[in-house]
Structure formats: C-alpha cells, structure tokens
Amino acid sequence: MKTIAALLLAFLFAAPACADGIVLGGHVQHPASFTMAQLRAMPAIDVTVDQKTEKGAFTGTFHGVLLWTLVNAAGLENGPNRHAILRHAILVSAAADQYATIVSLGEIHPELGNGQVILATEQDGQKLAQPRLIVPGDLKAAREVRDVTDIEVQ
C-alpha cells in the first residue's frame, strides 16, 4: 500500500499540465494533472455496467483508476476527518461538451459508501483517448461523463 501511495504522490508532484488527460484541483493539498499514460500506469480495477439511457442500453466492461484513489492521494485541505469528507463533493466535467456531474466523497470513501466509481482508460479492452467517468450502480447512465478533463473537489 505504501508503494501505491508513493507512486501516486510522485505523479501528483511531477505531473505536467496536459492536453490528453485531466486536471485535479479544488479543495486539495496537492492539485495535479495526469496524462492518459499516467492514469493507465496507476492501480486499476474493472467494472461492468448494464444501464439504460434515453438512447438505449449502455453496457460494457471498463478498466480504470478509482476516483477515490486520485482524490485521496491529492489530500483534502481539511484532512481525512470523516465529518470533513461528508461535506465535500467532486465535480467531474468534460470541456468539449461542458457536461458535468457531482459525486459525493462519502459515496466513494472506502469506509462509507465504497462506490467503485472509476475514471476509465479502457472500454471493452480498447484504450480510450480521454478518461470516462463510470458510476456503476446507477440505474441510468446520467452521471457517466465522456472525455473528462477536470476534477474539482468542492
């Protein structure tokens, strides 16, 4: 576990501003940016979704880094206190279409909701050009954000 934390901190402090990845900021101690290559190098999980949208079924297997992993490594400004965590939300947005959604920190904290919300770097074994927010468990894919560019802890 210390190796994972060290790897993430190295990315946080060394990450350049990037056009092919994301920027993480807001109420965090270590704002950062990550390229797709850096996101792909992080510990990842697979999630499978089978959701409905206005346009039909949204199904697939996605591979990516837990949103909690990124936010936790960045460090909340007011620390890991559970009550502080419950006051925060994460705004995830895409610059291209200005689509955005909110995920609460309590919902993804491992000791609270433990939601397996990920920033996918692959879909059905194919690399994505830009990360995609996947929220398993939603009955509809309304909080799925394509081509994520910004993550802001509020």
Side-chain angles (χ1 to χ4, degrees):
M1 192 55 101
K2 287 184 180 181
T3 304
I4 293 170
L7 177 65
L8 289 172
L9 284 174
F11 282 134
L12 286 170
F13 290 116
C18 56
D20 74 329
I22 61 163
V23 175
L24 171 64
H27 292 282
V28 294
Q29 296 171 358
H30 310 290
S33 58
F34 302 92
T35 66
M36 286 299 287
Q38 289 171 322
L39 291 172
R40 287 187 182 102
M42 292 178 183
I45 65 166
D46 292 323
V47 296
T48 301
V49 295
D50 186 6
Q51 301 168 333
K52 295 180 172 93
T53 71
E54 300 97 30
K55 297 177 184 175
F58 173 64
T59 62
T61 300
F62 295 87
H63 181 79
V65 63
L66 286 168
L67 182 58
W68 171 255
T69 301
L70 292 173
V71 171
N72 189 48
L76 289 175
E77 284 182 346
N78 49 357
N81 177 311
R82 261 198 206 147
H83 299 293
I85 287 168
L86 294 175
R87 287 193 307 260
H88 290 286
I90 306 163
L91 176 65
V92 180
S93 56
D97 63 3
Q98 298 181 347
Y99 193 79
T101 194
I102 295 279
V103 176
S104 76
L105 274 174
E107 168 178 19
I108 64 172
H109 188 287
E111 295 176 1
L112 298 171
N114 197 30
Q116 304 295 289
V117 176
I118 67 168
L119 276 180
T121 56
E122 293 180 19
Q123 178 180 355
D124 297 324
Q126 301 295 316
K127 289 182 178 180
L128 298 171
Q130 195 67 13
R132 189 172 193 172
L133 183 75
I134 302 296
V135 184
D138 279 0
L139 296 179
K140 296 191 175 190
R143 293 194 294 168
E144 174 261 335
V145 180
R146 296 178 187 180
D147 301 326
V148 172
T149 53
D150 299 282
I151 299 172
E152 181 183 345
V153 177
Q154 300 182 337

